[in-house]
Amino acid sequence: MMRPINRLRAPCASFVWQRRCLAKPLGFSLLEALVAMAIAAIALASLYRSVGQSSQSVMGVQARVEAALVAKSVLAAGIFAEDLMRQDSGEAGGWNWRVDVTPEPIFLSDEAGRPAPSGPLRAAKVTVQVSRDGVTAMTWITWKPYRSAP
């Protein structure tokens, strides 16, 4: 008479399978665990590095935005070149700024390329340098007209 097959029994229940099951290691070997940990460490190190670079990039962008706001504020303080020559340097919010005003005539011409009969315009090239801790973060160059004739 045949015995009914019990499908719930483990495959190692018979004598033949018991020998094979005993030879099969259970779990991971030490080498496999070390390789997995090394791969995980490399992945975490690269993730840490990329997050650090991203935060440095954000800080750099924020510093440039602040420097640009300081430069715009300094330039907005004077409509004419004479206004900017009164105060050539200063500090605002931890930022140091310096203004250089250089007279520079601007030659005008008409559509045909002939020089304007009124002569060149009196203007000044204004350079604003914004720095923090001795490192220049931004240099802004623009032109401002003079208020009065010489």
Side-chain angles (χ1 to χ4, degrees):
M1 180 163 138
M2 284 185 89
R3 289 171 71 181
I5 298 175
N6 187 356
R7 295 180 189 257
L8 299 176
R9 286 188 348 184
C12 291
S14 70
F15 179 72
V16 175
W17 283 101
Q18 282 180 356
R19 293 172 81 189
R20 288 187 184 162
C21 286
L22 292 176
K24 182 179 173 186
L26 300 175
F28 296 106
S29 69
L30 180 61
L31 181 62
E32 290 171 333
L34 288 175
V35 168
M37 287 175 56
I39 291 171
I42 291 170
L44 288 175
S46 64
L47 179 67
Y48 179 76
R49 184 174 181 189
S50 67
V51 169
Q53 287 176 344
S54 297
S55 65
Q56 277 184 333
S57 176
V58 167
M59 295 300 291
V61 169
Q62 183 179 3
R64 285 193 300 271
V65 167
E66 288 177 9
L69 290 174
V70 169
K72 286 175 75 173
S73 175
V74 168
L75 289 172
I79 296 173
F80 297 104
E82 294 94 349
D83 301 335
L84 294 172
M85 290 191 314
R86 291 187 190 125
Q87 187 173 9
D88 61 347
S89 64
E91 183 183 351
W95 292 94
N96 298 317
W97 54 268
R98 190 183 62 163
V99 177
D100 293 323
V101 180
T102 308
E104 196 170 292
I106 298 176
F107 295 96
L108 300 177
S109 60
D110 61 6
E111 295 168 354
R114 295 183 302 257
S118 61
L121 290 177
R122 288 194 62 240
K125 180 180 177 182
V126 179
T127 304
V128 179
Q129 287 186 342
V130 182
S131 62
R132 178 183 278 171
D133 300 329
V135 178
T136 300
M138 172 155 303
T139 301
W140 199 303
I141 300 172
T142 189
W143 282 263
K144 293 275 188 175
Y146 281 99
R147 178 180 290 129
S148 58

